[in-house]
């Protein structure tokens, strides 16, 4: 199986099943992960995690906070790859209603993820904004 195809299936299966050990095994020791959830979950200003220890902490906390009604893990069987790039989408519209709309972009090297960027669509971004405003109002 080609690296991109392996990562496409293995990452999704481990994430869906909250398998932090399985997920972190897919990352290079010096990997980077960027997501708008990093500042929220890790309570920091920077949205970039560096190295497996930081990424593991983020993935473990994300798994702990689920289930979430907006995370349905729906995707079709399409992914895009070229060179060391792998891309796929979790679209907003699913057969069971809306979900957080995310685009996963990974760069791989030596069969492992070394750069992972997660881009949120308008629906998920609006959810993040509402959540942040609600926390701000509760703190006031």
């Amino acid at each position: 199986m080609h690296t991109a195809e392996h990562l496409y299936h293995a990452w999704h299966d481990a994430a869906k099943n909250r398998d932090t050990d399985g997920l972190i095994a897919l990352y290079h020791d010096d990997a980077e992960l960027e997501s708008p959830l990093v500042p929220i979950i890790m309570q920091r200003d920077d949205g970039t995690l560096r190295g497996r220890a930081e990424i593991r902490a983020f993935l473990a906390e994300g798994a702990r906070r689920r289930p979430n009604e907006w995370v349905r893990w729906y995707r079709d069987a399409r992914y895009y790859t070229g060179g060391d790039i792998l891309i796929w989408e979790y679209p907003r519209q699913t057969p069971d209603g809306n979900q957080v709309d995310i685009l996963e972009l990974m760069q791989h090297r030596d069969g492992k993820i070394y750069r992972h960027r997660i881009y949120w669509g308008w629906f998920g971004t609006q959810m993040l904004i509402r959540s942040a405003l609600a926390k701000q109002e509760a703190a006031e």
Side-chain angles (χ1 to χ4, degrees):
M1 179 181 300
H2 186 270
T3 297
E5 183 179 3
H6 166 71
L7 292 173
Y8 173 76
H9 293 291
W11 194 92
H12 173 81
D13 292 343
K16 185 176 180 178
N17 292 308
R18 299 184 215 176
D19 179 3
T20 303
D21 290 337
L23 278 171
I24 202 63
L26 299 172
Y27 288 85
H28 251 275
D29 290 339
D30 59 347
E32 290 184 1
L33 184 147
E34 296 180 37
S35 169
L37 274 184
V38 169
I40 295 165
I41 288 180
M42 304 305 287
Q43 298 179 357
R44 55 192 268 176
D45 294 331
D46 187 357
T48 303
L49 301 169
R50 292 172 179 85
R52 290 176 76 189
E54 286 187 2
I55 294 170
R56 175 187 281 281
F58 172 75
L59 296 172
E61 182 60 22
R64 188 188 70 73
R65 293 183 182 209
R66 288 195 328 260
N68 178 317
E69 68 177 297
W70 300 111
V71 179
R72 300 186 194 282
W73 297 106
Y74 171 79
R75 64 185 186 164
D76 60 25
R78 294 181 298 172
Y79 62 90
Y80 304 93
T81 186
D84 67 346
I85 301 289
L86 168 64
I87 302 170
W88 77 85
E89 176 188 30
Y90 292 100
R92 176 185 55 83
Q93 295 174 307
T94 78
D96 299 319
N98 288 334
Q99 71 176 352
V100 174
D101 43 348
I102 294 174
L103 182 113
E104 304 280 354
L105 189 147
M106 297 175 180
Q107 289 178 271
H108 53 86
R109 180 176 60 204
D110 304 324
K112 303 272 186 177
I113 301 163
Y114 76 91
R115 187 162 294 127
H116 183 185
R117 293 179 297 277
I118 304 169
Y119 297 101
W120 286 49
W122 73 265
F123 185 74
T125 301
Q126 292 301 309
M127 292 172 49
L128 289 176
I129 292 168
R130 283 193 296 273
S131 176
L133 290 173
K135 286 180 183 176
Q136 183 179 15
E137 289 174 7
E140 294 176 351

